[in-house]
Amino acid sequence: MQQLNDLYVSGLEISQVYPLFCVLAGALVVLLVSAFYTRPKMWLCGVLSVAFLVADLYFVLSNTGVIYQPKRIFFGLLLVSGVAYLAQILILLSSVLFILLSLAQNSTKEFQRGEYYAIWLFVIAGLQCMVSSTNIVVILLGLEISSLGVYGLIALSGGKNSTEAAIKYFTMGAYASAFLVFGAAFLYLGTGSLDLLASNTFSIHIIIGFVLMFCGLGVKLSAVPFHTWTPDAYEGSSAIMAGFMSIAPKIAAFVVAFYLLNLTIEVSDQSRFPQVLLFIIVVFTMSVPNLLALVQKDVKRMLGYSSISHAGFLLSGVLIGGLEGLSSLFAYWVWFMFANIGAFGMLWLLRDSKDTQDYAISRFSGLAHRSLISAISLGIFMFALAGIPPLSVFWGKFILIKLSIDSGLSVLAIVMAINSAIAAFYYLRVVVVSFLHDSTPHTLSPQKSVFGVAIVAICVFYVSLCALMAQNLLDSIQWCVLLYQYQ
């Protein structure tokens, strides 16, 4: 009996999965509140969601010891490590900020539903499963839970194209799931293990499994040519949901992609096919969306294409691999995250009072004449996303270009530089229209939202702080290296 008890204690490690239990409990509580509470549910459900996410974040932060002593729990199904630690912090932090943005008096109708927040919490639970495991079955389970929730959140957004966008994403997601399952089968055939960190000898099965799984992950990463759903999904969603999709689900997919590529590199030294394939995808993912963004007339759709291009930059961190690649990926993501939250937060504050979800660039004409602070804030985020020094994303691009050159990928560094120059054109077009064009009756005006203004102010402060503390932020990359080193 004593041996049995020891097995359960050492195998389950319940205290290490408090974060996951916390967000699942939150989803159930919000569902019950929305079912039995008859008064307006938006504030109560939103505040409860934030409270449970903050508690989730507290439990994650309290597990600091996993950075130095990573371990497997639930009988090897979950991996508690520094990588999972940092990824969960980014997912939870972005989720808290976006949910707080939704807590406005004149919030749109999808945020008046308690089930909306419950689904959102289930999505977070799925993403935490993805980043907290290297077991293929658990990863697929987390991915499906999060994906099904996102489909529903898009459909509930209430925009004129929301249903169409959800169906397109669902269709692409179904194909992605099929590729992932087939790829997992081939990886299991080649390695004899369901763990992505398992090492074995080279075989053709591993290459086939890598290609199939990367095709499935490509949909979640919005990598070219699997990106076609992204602009439509962003356009059909609210600004908050579009911003959330550009950040939280992707960081989980990037972590899985990094594990997957490391596996194929470790067991396929005889073949450079995985690296060559990923190099081609990285170049096209950076370049094609940039060119398409140049002709967009809707700012939210333009930001959709730009997020695909940024995914290409992040994929270059996966391609570089090792300690430097992972640290640059996380560093870039931290800097990009706040700039992107700020940009979509400004779109949310500038939404039409009738909630038409119309963000045509002509509607930003003369924004500086109506609200100078809003125009300046939007301009800072556009400058940052364009990678203009010394704002946040510039440092991420600078590091990736330097690492590409150091790794012998000079062609990739040149492609990054060219795409950064192209991106500056369509980002700065929004700034020009906002400051140099005359105001019209259709020009957007900021809505009143205490949380919205506060979050945008935090993002402005952080993005601008990079100019004053660039060296300190660059030093933080060493922490990311430390996280991976002890895995």
Side-chain angles (χ1 to χ4, degrees):
M1 181 61 70
Q2 182 63 37
Q3 291 179 346
L4 185 60
N5 290 336
D6 292 341
L7 171 65
Y8 276 94
V9 170
S10 62
L12 290 176
E13 292 281 359
I14 295 295
S15 63
Q16 300 294 331
V17 289
Y18 282 164
L20 189 58
F21 287 166
C22 183
V23 74
L24 288 173
L28 295 176
V29 169
V30 171
L31 272 179
L32 291 173
V33 169
S34 64
F36 294 104
Y37 189 66
T38 55
R39 297 179 182 179
K41 308 178 183 68
M42 184 267 291
W43 273 90
L44 181 58
C45 292
V47 169
L48 282 174
S49 300
V50 171
F52 277 102
L53 286 175
V54 170
D56 188 347
L57 186 59
Y58 167 78
F59 286 124
V60 171
L61 292 173
S62 65
N63 288 334
T64 330
V66 303
I67 299 176
Y68 306 100
Q69 294 180 343
K71 53 186 172 182
R72 296 187 180 275
I73 57 176
F74 266 80
F75 308 110
L77 294 178
L78 297 179
L79 174 65
V80 183
S81 68
V83 173
Y85 175 82
L86 185 54
Q88 288 182 89
I89 291 174
L90 296 179
I91 290 169
L92 292 170
L93 182 58
S94 62
S95 301
V96 168
L97 294 178
F98 278 121
I99 291 179
L100 286 175
L101 274 173
S102 72
L103 300 180
Q105 291 182 351
N106 56 345
S107 187
T108 51
K109 59 184 180 182
E110 74 268 23
F111 296 110
Q112 307 293 337
R113 303 172 177 178
E115 60 269 22
Y116 194 93
Y117 292 102
I119 295 173
W120 197 317
L121 293 179
F122 280 121
V123 170
I124 301 302
L127 296 177
Q128 287 187 270
C129 277
M130 286 180 65
V131 301
S132 300
S133 179
T134 56
N135 184 281
I136 297 175
V137 174
V138 177
I139 290 172
L140 290 176
L141 178 64
L143 187 144
E144 289 306 308
I145 292 173
S146 60
S147 297
L148 289 172
V150 171
Y151 306 150
L153 292 176
I154 295 173
L156 289 172
S157 293
K160 61 181 180 180
N161 299 321
S162 58
T163 304
E164 178 186 351
I167 291 173
K168 286 183 178 179
Y169 190 13
F170 173 78
T171 304
M172 291 295 294
Y175 282 112
S177 299
F179 277 110
L180 285 167
V181 171
F182 275 109
F186 275 98
L187 284 181
Y188 180 72
L189 185 63
T191 64
S193 171
L194 289 172
D195 197 310
L196 282 180
L197 295 183
S199 60
N200 211 302
T201 56
F202 169 78
S203 72
I204 190 64
H205 303 108
I206 292 178
I207 297 299
I208 296 174
F210 167 78
V211 172
L212 291 174
M213 283 203 74
F214 200 85
C215 286
L217 286 174
V219 175
K220 307 303 176 183
L221 296 170
S222 302
V224 175
F226 314 104
H227 69 289
T228 52
W229 63 272
T230 309
D232 294 324
Y234 281 41
E235 190 176 17
S237 306
S238 65
I240 290 179
M241 195 62 231
F244 174 76
M245 287 191 298
S246 70
I247 296 174
K250 287 187 178 179
I251 187 63
F254 276 114
V255 170
V256 177
F258 190 88
Y259 288 146
L260 178 64
L261 187 69
N262 271 8
L263 166 69
T264 56
I265 290 176
E266 183 178 353
V267 301
S268 61
D269 290 334
Q270 304 170 30
S271 171
R272 294 188 58 84
F273 175 76
Q275 296 96 313
V276 173
L277 176 63
L278 186 57
F279 177 85
I280 295 171
I281 292 176
V282 167
V283 171
F284 278 97
T285 302
M286 280 192 290
S287 306
V288 173
N290 258 346
L291 297 175
L292 293 173
L294 291 172
V295 297
Q296 299 305 312
K297 297 181 180 180
D298 185 275
V299 173
K300 189 163 63 170
R301 191 176 179 87
M302 181 202 77
L303 287 175
Y305 279 109
S306 78
S307 73
I308 302 173
S309 181
H310 283 288
F313 279 89
L314 288 157
L315 274 174
S316 65
V318 177
L319 176 63
I320 293 169
L323 306 180
E324 295 83 3
L326 186 64
S327 62
S328 64
L329 190 156
F330 275 116
Y332 190 105
W333 198 263
V334 171
W335 289 318
F336 166 75
M337 182 179 76
F338 281 94
N340 218 35
I341 290 174
F344 281 100
M346 282 305 307
L347 292 188
W348 173 250
L349 290 178
L350 294 170
R351 68 190 184 280
D352 194 299
S353 57
K354 297 180 180 178
D355 188 30
T356 60
Q357 300 291 343
D358 181 9
Y359 292 100
I361 194 169
S362 58
R363 303 197 68 192
F364 291 82
S365 297
L367 176 62
H369 300 294
R370 291 202 175 185
S371 176
L372 181 60
I373 294 178
S374 297
I376 292 174
S377 300
L378 183 63
I380 289 174
F381 297 131
M382 293 295 113
F383 279 123
L385 289 171
I388 293 177
L391 300 178
S392 59
V393 180
F394 163 76
W395 302 106
K397 292 185 175 182
F398 172 79
I399 293 168
L400 286 173
I401 290 174
K402 180 181 183 300
L403 286 177
S404 298
I405 295 173
D406 293 342
S407 302
L409 300 171
S410 301
V411 174
L412 181 62
I414 294 172
V415 172
M416 288 182 186
I418 293 173
N419 278 287
S420 296
I422 295 173
F425 177 81
Y426 57 79
Y427 284 124
L428 297 185
R429 185 174 59 175
V430 179
V431 180
V432 170
V433 168
S434 300
F435 281 91
L436 301 183
H437 289 200
D438 294 328
S439 179
T440 69
H442 301 290
T443 300
L444 294 168
S445 298
Q447 303 288 320
K448 294 180 179 179
S449 173
V450 175
F451 286 117
V453 171
I455 289 169
V456 168
I458 290 171
C459 292
V460 168
F461 179 74
Y462 178 84
V463 167
S464 304
L465 188 66
C466 293
L468 303 175
M469 302 179 62
Q471 188 58 53
N472 291 336
L473 290 171
L474 289 173
D475 290 341
S476 68
I477 298 172
Q478 300 303 317
W479 187 49
C480 299
V481 172
L482 182 67
L483 296 180
Y484 182 73
Q485 188 174 3
Y486 285 96
Q487 180 179 299

